[in-house]
Amino acid sequence: MYKDQFDSLDKHTQWGIDFLERYAKFVKERIEIEQNYAKQLRNLVKKYCPKRSSKDEEPRFTSCIAFFNILNELNDYAGQREVVAEEMAHRVYGELMRYAHDLKTERKMHLQEGRKAQQYLDMCWKQMDNSKKKFERECREAEKAQQSYERLDNDTNATKADVEKAKQQLNLRTHMADENKNEYAAQLQNFNGEQHKHFYVVIPQIYKQLQEMDERRTIKLSECYRGFADSERKVIPIISKCLEGMILAAKSVDERRDSQMVVDSFKSGFEPPGDFPFEDYSQHIYRTISDGTISTSKQESGKMDAKTTVGKAKGKLWLFGKKPKGPALEDFSHLPPEQRRKKLQQRIDELNRELQKESDQKDALNKMKDVYEKNPQMGDPGSLQPKLAETMNNIDRLRMEIHKNEAWLSEVEGKTGGRGDRRHSSDINHLVTQGRESPEGSYTDDGNQEVRGPPQQHGHHNEFDDEFEDDDPLPAIGHCKAIYPFDGTFLMYSV
């Protein structure tokens, strides 16, 4: 019965250690999940964070800024998941593994003590049993000697020597039986004492130690359960702040501000194009028949030419035309007026800030130079001269840059005010469409001599040419043929 119970306790304590290690494995897998989760969150944040290489690419819209703030909060949230993993690894998993090792050592010691006690009791029982068997054997030999002596003593034919010998044998066996009896009694008494001690002192003590060990294991599991939850509960306030930061980022989105930024970003500063004049093509119907000539005022020709020229230049005046090709110019003349003004103003502000820094550095160097001159032991004033000269050169360079950009700014601000007046300038009306005429005034079929547009006016520079891309010339819609002598004031088209 005892051995069965001891084996049961052996199995139970082994199950307790296995359960402890199983929970430790569970915690380890949870730690790996937290670590992978934090890593994936950080990779996600890194993937969607902008890779800004200059200030121009920084987010300006409130919706973009809010999203980037959310990414920052999510990155902090990932850091808290890492804290949870570290806390679990240190407080729970590490502690469990150390305790499991100590528990195995303690259990092994208690079980060895129990087995030693059982082995000692078994040894005492064997000694007692051997003495008992020996005593029993000697008693049987003494009985045989008693029977042999009685048979010879009653036998009349037996000699006195045989009887005496049988008597001596009987006394010897009786004496040995008495000694074995005393030995058996002593061994029995010793075994009974050890057995009592075993079952009432040694084994209960071992069982108590195993019980305390198992209770400590249960307590340790309870502490680890709490530590498992506390590892996450500690970071809940910080995680709550991260979530509150996300909510604040969402509330910071201002749709009107974003819309205004779009307006400011794409505002060109151009005036809308004016109305096109009415062009009356029916006037040649009412020409004078009697004179036999076809005449039209030069004004109508000018109108027709103006239409041709304006139609050709219409692509240039279109507000949302193609952006100029090629690299950006230093004076930003490739941009619309309003955008150019903003860029120039930004550059002037940056140059002023740099100039202020250089001026402060110059003042500091001068003060240091004065200190060195008054106290030569503190340093050589001449050592500051190269740096001071460099600073002065930087100041002169920055002042020149500021002056140059301010000149460009004044130019663009002046142009913006008069942009609408130049849109319908007389440059359009003075262009006259020329027909093909031979020196004698006769028609020629030489297509190479055809002039489809006015000659290039090199002396006059159209400011719109710098701001819009030139379109291809409009295709010819027909050819003209002079039927009568004419002075170039009217053309008859044969299509």
Side-chain angles (χ1 to χ4, degrees), residues 164-256:
E164 188 64 26
K165 184 178 179 182
K167 185 177 181 180
Q168 290 178 358
Q169 186 68 23
L170 175 61
N171 292 334
L172 178 61
R173 292 298 180 182
T174 302
H175 176 72
M176 292 181 66
D178 292 339
E179 289 182 353
N180 283 284
K181 179 180 180 181
N182 294 333
E183 179 67 20
Y184 166 65
Q187 292 295 335
L188 179 61
Q189 184 179 3
N190 180 64
F191 171 75
N192 290 333
E194 292 297 333
Q195 181 175 253
H196 185 274
K197 180 182 178 181
H198 178 81
F199 285 104
Y200 286 91
V201 179
V202 178
I203 290 301
Q205 183 67 25
I206 294 174
Y207 283 178
K208 183 179 180 181
Q209 292 173 349
L210 288 173
Q211 181 181 1
E212 291 175 352
M213 181 193 72
D214 194 64
E215 289 176 354
R216 289 197 306 272
R217 177 191 62 82
T218 306
I219 293 173
K220 178 60 67 174
L221 277 173
S222 177
E223 293 175 352
C224 291
Y225 292 161
R226 287 197 300 270
F228 183 84
D230 288 339
S231 299
E232 185 147 358
R233 187 173 62 179
K234 286 181 179 180
V235 301
I236 286 179
I238 303 178
I239 289 178
S240 299
K241 290 183 180 179
C242 294
L243 298 177
E244 290 175 2
M246 294 181 185
I247 294 175
L248 291 177
K251 292 181 179 179
S252 67
V253 176
D254 188 347
E255 69 281 1
R256 293 186 179 275

Side-chain angles (χ1 to χ4, degrees), residues 380-399:
D380 181 15
S383 63
L384 300 176
Q385 192 61 34
K387 185 64 177 177
L388 189 59
E390 181 184 355
T391 304
M392 294 299 297
N393 291 333
N394 291 336
I395 290 175
D396 294 339
R397 177 182 56 81
L398 290 172
R399 285 176 178 172

Side-chain angles (χ1 to χ4, degrees), residues 327-432:
L329 302 178
E330 182 184 6
D331 59 351
F332 299 111
S333 59
H334 61 286
L335 296 176
E338 182 64 21
Q339 301 301 319
R340 183 186 181 193
R341 184 190 65 78
K342 290 174 62 177
K343 289 289 186 181
L344 289 171
Q345 187 62 53
Q346 291 176 2
R347 179 185 287 176
I348 291 172
D349 294 340
E350 293 176 358
L351 292 173
N352 283 325
R353 287 193 292 269
E354 294 180 9
L355 179 61
Q356 184 62 39
K357 291 180 181 179
E358 295 293 336
S359 299
D360 294 341
Q361 185 174 0
K362 183 193 73 171
D363 296 339
L365 290 172
N366 286 329
K367 291 180 181 179
M368 189 178 296
K369 183 179 180 182
D370 293 339
V371 172
Y372 285 174
E373 290 176 350
K374 295 178 181 180
N375 301 290
Q377 67 275 10
M378 296 183 67
D380 181 15
S383 63
L384 300 176
Q385 192 61 34
K387 185 64 177 177
L388 189 59
E390 181 184 355
T391 304
M392 294 299 297
N393 291 333
N394 291 336
I395 290 175
D396 294 339
R397 177 182 56 81
L398 290 172
R399 285 176 178 172
M400 292 179 61
E401 288 291 330
I402 291 173
H403 179 72
K404 181 171 60 175
N405 283 273
E406 286 178 345
W408 288 335
L409 182 61
S410 300
E411 177 187 356
V412 73
E413 287 177 347
K415 288 181 180 180
T416 304
R419 184 71 67 181
D421 298 335
R422 289 194 300 271
R423 185 166 303 279
H424 300 288
S425 63
S426 61
D427 293 338
I428 296 177
N429 295 326
H430 84 282
L431 301 176
V432 180

Side-chain angles (χ1 to χ4, degrees), residues 53-76:
S53 58
S54 64
K55 293 183 178 179
D56 295 338
E57 297 179 7
E58 292 182 357
R60 299 177 298 162
F61 298 109
T62 58
S63 58
C64 296
I65 296 174
F67 176 61
F68 299 142
N69 290 336
I70 290 175
L71 291 178
N72 291 331
E73 296 294 344
L74 186 61
N75 192 60
D76 294 340

Side-chain angles (χ1 to χ4, degrees), residues 41 43 92 165 327:
L41 285 178
N43 291 337
V92 181
K165 184 178 179 182

Side-chain angles (χ1 to χ4, degrees), residues 13-56:
T13 52
Q14 182 60 45
W15 171 86
I17 293 177
D18 293 340
F19 182 79
L20 186 72
E21 291 180 338
R22 183 182 180 189
Y23 178 68
K25 183 178 179 182
F26 161 78
V27 174
K28 181 180 179 181
E29 292 183 1
R30 169 65 188 277
I31 292 171
E32 292 175 354
I33 290 174
E34 291 291 346
Q35 291 174 342
N36 293 331
Y37 180 47
K39 182 179 180 181
Q40 290 176 1
L41 285 178
R42 288 194 183 277
N43 291 337
L44 182 66
V45 171
K46 183 178 180 181
K47 177 180 178 181
Y48 284 93
C49 271
K51 298 179 180 178
R52 296 189 292 268
S53 58
S54 64
K55 293 183 178 179
D56 295 338

